[in-house]
Amino acid sequence: MDEALLRNLTPSVLAVLVRRGADFAAAEDAVQDALVEALRVWPADPPRDAKGWLVTVAWRKFLDARRADAARRRREDRIEEEPAPGPASAVDDTLQLYFLCAHPSLTPSSAVALTLRAVGGLTTRQIAQAYLVPEATMAQRISRAKRTVSGVRFDQPGDVATVLRVLYLVFNEGYSGDVDLAAEAIRLTRRLAAGFDHPEVAGLLALMLLHHARRAARTAADGSLVALAEQDRTRWDTKLIAEGVEILQAALARDRLGEFQAQAAIAALHADAFTAEETDWVQIVEWYDELTRLTDSPVVRLNRAVAVGEADGPRAGLTALAALDDDSLPRHTAVAAYLHERDGDLTTAARLYAEAARKAPDLAERDYLTRQAARLNSRRNP
């Protein structure tokens, strides 16, 4: 039984049911029932067309549920629409489902959360971390979104801005963990760029390509994280970098700047430096200024403090960091540790690295920060 195949087919099957008129919550339940049936049946009798089999069974499960709810007249009308066996459509159902989940009846934040959970495959905890909110809060938000769209016909797909936000968060989660998730986000964004002549779609695609180009160098052979300044830049994918820069330049030439273009410009400046020392930090600070104007995001201002520390010295970076006044922000303590180390205060830096390690969201980052604290402690106590 290929469970990975089932996971990959789930969004497409769900999209087929929604297109045929099933409300989202009922379609999701029917698809889950079909997956359980597949796990039971396929080991002994694998189908020739896995997607077609799942669509047929899920649709029947949906109809059975409607019958149980005594909607006989409506059920009899819909039974004629049962999809015929055979190869399924080659339409990219996943991307269409992203638009359908970005429904006008939902707020943008709820639409993003629902799509990440239902289509992107992220856990509630992962989504909560991306939004910087407690897991229980996010669970309630997703439940409310499901209730809102329950019974709604999905004939008014949402706007492209919400879909871009979802794809960005899916890519970020994949970039930190499962490479297939990142690759799928890039694939869908390429499809989106082919259908939408919009500079922010191009900006997001450029950003993804430029970040993905560095993926091979982000971890050592033992799986530990490698900081950007320490990465072996010969391992960066120059073809992806060139493609990302070309897409970005075309988008910027349209003079309709958005946050994804600004982020991509920062990534391009990192990619353009042959060594960490050659990085144009002054320009990066300027782009962070633009990004702050566009988003007013505390995470952007945190990253800007690092760039200021590189461009104007660690004291200037610490001053920019102090202006944030939010040490609960993820990685705030790690940034403070780095800037204090650059400023020569190894005692404070070691203490802050250890504190940041305790707050780290994942094991790889925790291990990296712990090693930084140990490195500084060994220098202070040889």
Side-chain angles (χ1 to χ4, degrees), residues 4-75:
L5 174 63
L6 288 177
R7 287 196 300 271
N8 290 336
L9 288 174
T10 297
S12 295
V13 177
L14 185 56
V16 171
L17 267 65
V18 170
R19 284 206 312 270
R20 290 180 176 274
D23 66 80
F24 189 87
E28 192 175 29
D29 290 342
V31 172
Q32 291 301 317
D33 288 343
L35 294 176
V36 171
E37 186 74 5
L39 290 170
R40 185 182 68 82
V41 172
W42 286 11
D45 185 20
R48 286 180 294 180
D49 175 20
K51 180 180 174 181
W53 189 97
L54 285 171
V55 167
T56 300
V57 172
W59 183 255
R60 287 173 179 162
K61 296 287 185 183
F62 165 72
L63 293 176
D64 287 344
R66 292 297 303 272
R67 185 182 300 113
D69 290 336
R72 179 174 300 277
R73 183 183 300 277
R74 197 168 177 189
R75 184 265 302 168

Side-chain angles (χ1 to χ4, degrees), residues 19-223:
R19 284 206 312 270
R20 290 180 176 274
D23 66 80
F24 189 87
E28 192 175 29
D29 290 342
V31 172
Q32 291 301 317
D33 288 343
L35 294 176
V36 171
E37 186 74 5
L39 290 170
R40 185 182 68 82
V41 172
W42 286 11
D45 185 20
R48 286 180 294 180
D49 175 20
K51 180 180 174 181
W53 189 97
L54 285 171
V55 167
T56 300
V57 172
W59 183 255
R60 287 173 179 162
K61 296 287 185 183
F62 165 72
L63 293 176
D64 287 344
R66 292 297 303 272
R67 185 182 300 113
D69 290 336
R72 179 174 300 277
R73 183 183 300 277
R74 197 168 177 189
R75 184 265 302 168
E76 289 174 350
D77 291 338
R78 289 175 182 261
I79 195 101
E80 300 301 323
E81 299 175 17
E82 181 177 331
S89 168
V91 172
D92 194 332
D93 293 320
T94 305
L95 186 57
Q96 183 176 27
L97 193 55
Y98 272 68
F99 274 96
L100 292 174
C101 285
H103 195 271
S105 64
L106 295 173
T107 64
S109 61
S110 294
V112 170
L114 177 63
T115 313
L116 289 172
R117 185 71 185 93
V119 189
L122 275 64
T123 66
T124 303
R125 174 172 295 182
Q126 289 171 320
I127 302 168
Q129 289 174 346
Y131 271 93
L132 310 180
V133 299
E135 184 176 354
T137 301
M138 183 52 64
Q140 291 174 353
R141 184 179 299 177
I142 293 171
S143 295
R144 285 197 300 269
K146 285 185 176 181
R147 288 196 299 271
T148 299
V149 300
S150 180
V152 172
R153 267 194 81 85
F154 283 76
D155 54 0
Q156 292 180 281
D159 67 353
V160 68
T162 301
V163 175
L164 287 176
R165 178 63 50 192
V166 176
L167 288 169
Y168 175 63
L169 291 173
V170 169
F171 176 81
N172 280 346
E173 190 59 40
Y175 191 58
S176 302
D178 183 355
V179 64
D180 291 335
L181 199 58
E184 174 68 357
I186 291 173
R187 183 187 72 81
L188 291 171
T189 307
R190 285 189 186 279
R191 294 293 298 267
L192 194 61
F196 283 83
D197 183 23
H198 191 290
E200 273 295 82
V201 177
L204 179 58
L205 179 56
L207 176 63
M208 288 180 173
L209 294 175
L210 289 163
H211 278 313
H212 208 60
R214 303 200 303 257
R215 185 176 183 87
R218 289 188 74 243
T219 54
D222 61 0

